[in-house]
Amino acid sequence: MTIFTLLTSVAALVATASLAAITLLHGAWVLGSPLWLDRVIPRTSDAAGGRPLFVPARGLTGAVTLAFALLTLLPGLTLGWLPLPPPRMAPTLCLGAAFIFVVRAIGDFRYCGLFRRIRSTTFARWDARLYTPLCLLLAACYGLLGVAPN
């Protein structure tokens, strides 16, 4: 086993475990749970009233849950861990996922991401400590899986 093989295996495990937890959380929200909603919805600054930037619709949250569930399966497909033939486009899909996570980590230059200007909200603190670093980690994991030899 080479170091690269070990790294891709670790990356696959990290990505799968992280996204499985995220998928379960989104699934709980689809079912109506209020768990941590105050921490995951960006809000305007406290000076501007601290209003949520959006109210997620149940259907849209369900679609996001499905997308995360598919992303959870992608590392296992890419490395042949699942009893399905790995799609030839799995590495390309991994690189696409890495790109999406990098874009999320960069953010919108106002409310989320590395270059956010609003830093005083609960969401901004969680974004700085967890969401953005997690997006960078997932980008690295999927990027590594995207260039891993089959």
Side-chain angles (χ1 to χ4, degrees):
M1 176 181 278
T2 66
I3 189 74
F4 192 72
T5 304
L6 179 63
L7 282 174
T8 55
S9 296
V10 170
L13 289 172
V14 167
T16 300
S18 299
L19 282 171
I22 292 168
T23 300
L24 290 173
L25 186 57
H26 280 76
W29 293 331
V30 168
L31 297 175
S33 173
L35 183 66
W36 297 328
L37 282 177
D38 61 323
R39 299 176 186 148
V40 298
I41 305 292
R43 295 179 169 272
T44 59
S45 66
D46 293 334
R51 293 180 313 277
L53 293 180
F54 61 91
V55 177
R58 185 173 272 177
L60 183 58
T61 305
V64 170
T65 304
L66 180 61
F68 280 136
L70 293 173
L71 282 174
T72 300
L73 297 174
L74 191 55
L77 281 172
T78 303
L79 297 181
W81 292 352
L82 297 176
L84 299 168
R88 289 183 12 197
M89 61 192 298
T92 305
L93 292 172
C94 284
L95 291 175
F99 175 77
I100 290 169
F101 284 118
V102 166
V103 169
R104 167 52 184 89
I106 291 170
D108 67 353
F109 297 96
R110 184 164 180 140
Y111 293 104
C112 68
L114 291 170
F115 304 106
R116 74 188 153 281
R117 290 188 311 247
I118 306 295
R119 298 178 182 272
S120 62
T121 64
T122 300
F123 173 83
R125 286 188 290 279
W126 279 90
D127 190 52
R129 294 179 185 141
L130 179 62
Y131 311 144
T132 297
L134 181 60
C135 285
L136 291 170
L137 176 65
L138 289 170
C141 290
Y142 279 98
L144 187 61
L145 290 165
V147 299
N150 293 344

